[in-house]
């Protein structure tokens, strides 16, 4: 049996491990299907350490694939299902994935992938997922190793980059599965997630936080309830119906809960909730306070990233005493605030936030040694590009971003990628992309352009530029509005003063991010 699912299959065989819109998978069935998938990986000639990719929405099959990969020693690449065809093709090629699992809804986007083997989940254009399982035995595979995710995160210089996390003392091969047992137990304990509870994932599992807050509880024994898309009213009903004990949310989802009609809110009990974690984007204080007033002290916050996992946490009570803080460093992390002179600063002084994991873990960007080096102050000491400070009591606050990034609805968006696309449009002479305030999503994408001779600012041109972006990038990266300028604010060296474009939009908000 698969090491992590075996005890649950033995003790709770008929209880649900996975629930989605279409049905349930018991612990016994999850263990059976995990074993079959591992045998299928072997039949395809896949070896531990190699990679597969997944392009699907939240569904039970997604968790089956990553559970099998996690026991077989494969790296799996969760791909953003909002991506356009060329973005999908790029990540598959760059990650060197040997197989792609794709949900039927998205099959038409796979026509640029050449001879890559593709397995269709609930689709018809490629060999069927269920047929692959049916050809293999459910017996226990030999030599199980720990596999894990390689998430792709966009960057300040164009295409997405794969984040490869490095375990302490990692040698030439994948570690044993027992290492995942230790990681799972440690994280779920730190986050106060009940091992026998019910986890609700209502954000995309391709996001590192949604993965960590659902897959790791699953391996610890939690039932995972998933939905492909978030609906606030439905979410309240599901929490009560299934007795959800823990959930991960982003500030945009908080706003949507709070915007529900009073009868919809009044019918919600929420008594099953033990812990509600939120992160991925700054949360307006008035929104967070309203959620704590409604749901109680179960609302906790974390600060972290794909590269560094969870680095700080704060309870509801501590946050109410210090509004705006993201908490104190987690038990496995050391945080240093570094000033412009490269030296650590004291309390209440802002600087760049650097992180060191005390367990010895680190990361690198796949095929990007220069980008990896730029993120590190020293081996094992890295930054996400955020600016912040500690107060006198050791609580961390975020104040700005050093890197050029937009966070909209909890999703990181990097302007360089959008600028690179718009610069290819024949009308565009110069372009700048930046984030401006948005009440629901925190930030939204704004573009400013100067035009080539023969083109004039007009609604039709704006529509054309937006359509051009959607043809080449995921829809959420498309600018919501475009400003037309006679000239960009550039230094004579060519450096763009993007703050001069961005600051007027933030002037009356009392915040910079």
């Amino acid at each position: 049996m698969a090491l992590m699912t075996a005890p649950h299959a033995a003790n709770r065989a008929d209880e649900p491990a996975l629930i989605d819109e279409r049905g349930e998978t018991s612990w016994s069935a999850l263990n059976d299907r995990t074993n079959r998938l591992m045998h299928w990986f072997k039949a395809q000639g896949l070896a531990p350490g190699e990679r597969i990719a997944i392009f699907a929405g939240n569904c039970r099959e997604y968790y089956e694939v990553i559970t099998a990969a996690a026991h077989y020693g494969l790296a799996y690449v969760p791909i953003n299902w909002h991506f356009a065809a060329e973005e999908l093709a790029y990540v598959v090629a760059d990650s060197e994935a040997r197989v792609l699992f794709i949900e039927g809804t998205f099959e038409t986007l796979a026509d640029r992938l050449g001879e890559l083997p593709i397995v269709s989940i609930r689709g018809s254009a490629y060999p069927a997922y269920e047929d692959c399982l049916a050809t293999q035995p459910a017996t226990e595979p030999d030599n199980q190793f720990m596999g894990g995710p390689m998430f792709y995160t966009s960057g300040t210089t164009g295409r997405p980059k794969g984040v490869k996390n490095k375990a302490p003392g990692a040698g030439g091969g994948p570690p044993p599965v027992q290492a995942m047992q230790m990681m799972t137990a440690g994280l779920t304990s730190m986050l106060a997630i009940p091992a026998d509870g019910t986890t609700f994932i209502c954000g995309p599992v391709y996001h590192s936080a949604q993965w960590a807050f659902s897959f790791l509880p699953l391996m610890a024994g939690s039932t995972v309830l998933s939905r492909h898309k978030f609906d606030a009213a439905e979410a309240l009903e599901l929490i009560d119906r299934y007795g959800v004990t823990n959930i991960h949310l982003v500030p945009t989802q908080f706003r949507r809960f709070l915007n529900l009609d009073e009868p919809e809110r009044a019918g919600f009990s929420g008594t099953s909730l033990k812990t509600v974690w939120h992160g991925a984007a700054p949360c307006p204080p008035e929104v967070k306070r309203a959620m704590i007033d409604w749901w109680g002290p179960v609302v906790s916050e974390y600060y972290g990233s794909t590269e560094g996992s969870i680095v700080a946490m704060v309870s509801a009570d501590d946050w109410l005493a210090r509004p705006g803080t993201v908490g104190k460093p987690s038990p496995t992390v050391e945080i240093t605030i570094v000033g412009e002179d490269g030296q650590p600063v004291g309390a209440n002084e802002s600087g760049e936030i650097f992180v060191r994991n005390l367990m010895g873990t680190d990361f690198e960007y796949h095929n990007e040694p220069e980008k990896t080096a730029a993120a590190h102050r020293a081996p094992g000491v890295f930054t996400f590009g955020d600016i912040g400070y500690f107060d006198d009591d050791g609580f961390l606050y975020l104040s700005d971003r050093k890197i050029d990034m937009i966070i909209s609805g909890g999703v990181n968006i990097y302007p360089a990628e959008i600028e690179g696309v718009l610069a290819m449009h024949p009308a565009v002479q110069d372009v700048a992309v930046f984030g401006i305030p948005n009440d629901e999503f925190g930030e939204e994408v704004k573009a400013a352009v100067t035009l080539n001779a023969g083109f004039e600012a007009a609604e039709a041109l704006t529509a054309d530029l937006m359509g051009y972006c959607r043809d080449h990038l995921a829809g959420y990266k498309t600018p919501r509005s475009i400003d037309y300028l006679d000239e960009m604010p550039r230094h004579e060296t060519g450096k763009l003063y993007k703050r001069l474009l961005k600051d007027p939009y933030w002037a009356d908000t009392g915040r910079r991010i």
Side-chain angles (χ1 to χ4, degrees):
M1 293 183 177
L3 182 67
M4 298 290 287
T5 57
H8 312 308
N11 300 324
R12 303 156 58 197
D14 297 327
E15 294 180 21
L18 300 168
I19 305 170
D20 66 10
E21 294 91 334
R22 299 174 181 87
E24 299 182 359
T25 299
S26 68
W27 282 107
S28 176
L30 175 61
N31 187 72
D32 178 286
R33 291 162 74 81
T34 297
N35 289 341
R36 291 176 186 273
L37 274 169
M38 284 194 280
H39 283 296
W40 186 85
F41 291 151
K42 184 175 182 179
Q44 307 314 301
L46 290 169
E50 293 189 304
R51 300 183 188 94
I52 61 172
I54 312 166
F55 193 71
N58 295 352
C59 60
R60 287 173 290 144
E61 292 88 345
Y62 205 122
Y63 286 91
E64 293 170 1
V65 172
I66 64 179
T67 299
H71 285 81
Y72 191 80
L74 296 176
Y76 49 91
V77 181
I79 304 178
N80 185 331
W81 54 263
H82 292 93
F83 275 4
E86 66 183 69
E87 292 173 297
L88 167 63
Y90 170 80
V91 171
V92 168
D94 184 74
S95 67
E96 303 167 276
R98 291 280 311 279
V99 176
L100 172 68
F101 290 85
I102 190 166
E103 190 173 357
T105 306
F106 310 115
E107 286 178 340
T108 57
L109 298 175
D111 57 2
R112 304 187 187 191
L113 302 182
E115 299 301 315
L116 179 76
I118 297 175
V119 176
S120 182
I121 297 172
R122 302 174 181 173
S124 58
Y126 300 100
Y129 176 81
E130 293 297 334
D131 290 346
C132 294
L133 268 65
T135 62
Q136 302 299 322
T139 54
E140 179 182 357
D142 297 327
N143 302 321
Q144 296 177 29
F145 300 96
M146 185 179 85
M150 184 169 84
F151 294 100
Y152 268 72
T153 179
S154 296
T156 56
T157 54
R159 290 290 193 178
K161 310 294 188 296
V163 178
K164 296 165 63 176
N165 290 300
K166 299 189 295 184
V177 178
Q178 286 81 354
M180 183 167 60
Q181 279 185 314
M182 296 175 59
M183 180 177 69
T184 296
L187 187 68
T188 53
S189 174
M190 183 176 75
L191 299 175
I193 293 176
D196 58 350
T198 297
T199 297
F200 183 21
I201 174 172
C202 49
V205 69
Y206 64 69
H207 190 284
S208 60
Q210 302 287 357
W211 168 84
F213 282 83
S214 60
F215 178 69
L216 297 180
L218 174 70
M219 292 297 95
S222 174
T223 297
V224 171
L225 165 67
S226 68
R227 284 296 182 266
H228 176 59
K229 291 189 176 181
F230 174 75
D231 177 272
E234 180 195 38
L236 294 182
E237 189 274 327
L238 290 172
I239 290 170
D240 282 344
R241 190 204 317 173
Y242 287 99
V244 169
T245 55
N246 50 283
I247 185 173
H248 176 281
L249 298 165
V250 298
T252 298
Q253 291 170 317
F254 279 176
R255 283 192 179 276
R256 292 182 180 177
F257 281 129
L258 294 168
N259 287 338
L260 290 172
D261 294 336
E262 186 57 35
E264 293 175 302
R265 293 180 56 179
F268 176 61
S269 167
T271 54
S272 63
L273 287 171
K274 303 300 182 186
T275 184
V276 176
W277 286 97
H278 78 95
C283 186
E286 68 276 10
V287 171
K288 181 162 181 175
R289 191 173 286 107
M291 285 299 297
I292 295 173
D293 288 343
W294 181 14
W295 287 16
V298 295
V299 178
S300 299
E301 184 174 358
Y302 71 93
Y303 164 63
S305 76
T306 300
E307 293 88 344
S309 189
I310 296 170
V311 302
M313 302 179 295
V314 62
S315 68
D317 289 340
D318 280 341
W319 185 89
L320 288 171
R322 300 169 178 81
T325 184
V326 293
K328 287 190 172 183
S330 67
T332 60
V333 163
E334 176 184 83
I335 298 176
T336 304
I337 309 297
V338 178
E340 292 185 2
D341 61 358
Q343 298 302 310
V345 301
N348 301 303
E349 293 184 72
S350 287
E352 190 167 4
I353 299 170
F354 280 86
V355 176
R356 181 171 73 91
N357 191 298
L358 300 177
M359 304 298 290
T361 60
D362 198 359
F363 77 93
E364 64 182 40
Y365 292 108
H366 181 57
N367 294 332
E368 293 283 348
E370 292 182 359
K371 182 175 172 62
T372 301
H376 284 77
R377 173 178 167 86
V381 182
F382 49 85
T383 182
F384 313 147
D386 289 332
I387 305 297
Y389 64 92
F390 282 115
D391 68 10
D392 291 326
D393 297 317
F395 284 84
L396 180 66
Y397 294 76
L398 306 182
S399 52
D400 205 348
R401 295 190 197 108
K402 183 176 181 180
I403 59 174
D404 192 13
M405 181 174 72
I406 302 163
I407 301 181
S408 182
V411 178
N412 293 354
I413 301 172
Y414 290 82
E417 191 176 10
I418 307 166
E419 291 166 349
V421 169
L422 282 172
M424 298 300 293
H425 192 283
V428 176
Q429 180 185 80
D430 199 359
V431 57
V433 173
F434 49 95
I436 64 173
N438 180 288
D439 286 342
E440 181 178 7
F441 294 100
E443 293 182 77
E444 66 178 62
V445 180
K446 160 77 77 173
V449 301
T450 59
L451 299 176
N452 286 315
F455 293 91
E456 294 184 359
E459 290 185 8
L461 178 58
T462 297
D464 186 52
L465 292 172
M466 291 179 174
Y468 188 76
C469 280
R470 281 190 290 269
D471 288 343
H472 295 274
L473 297 169
Y476 66 86
K477 300 176 185 177
T478 299
R480 298 277 293 271
S481 58
I482 298 176
D483 291 342
Y484 295 94
L485 307 178
D486 293 330
E487 187 177 5
M488 288 288 181
R490 289 189 181 275
H491 187 269
E492 59 186 13
T493 61
K495 176 180 172 61
L496 175 66
Y497 293 117
K498 195 173 285 189
R499 277 287 181 196
L500 296 179
L501 300 173
K502 181 179 180 180
D503 283 354
Y505 291 96
W506 293 87
D508 299 325
T509 64
R511 60 190 177 101
R512 301 177 70 90
I513 54 175

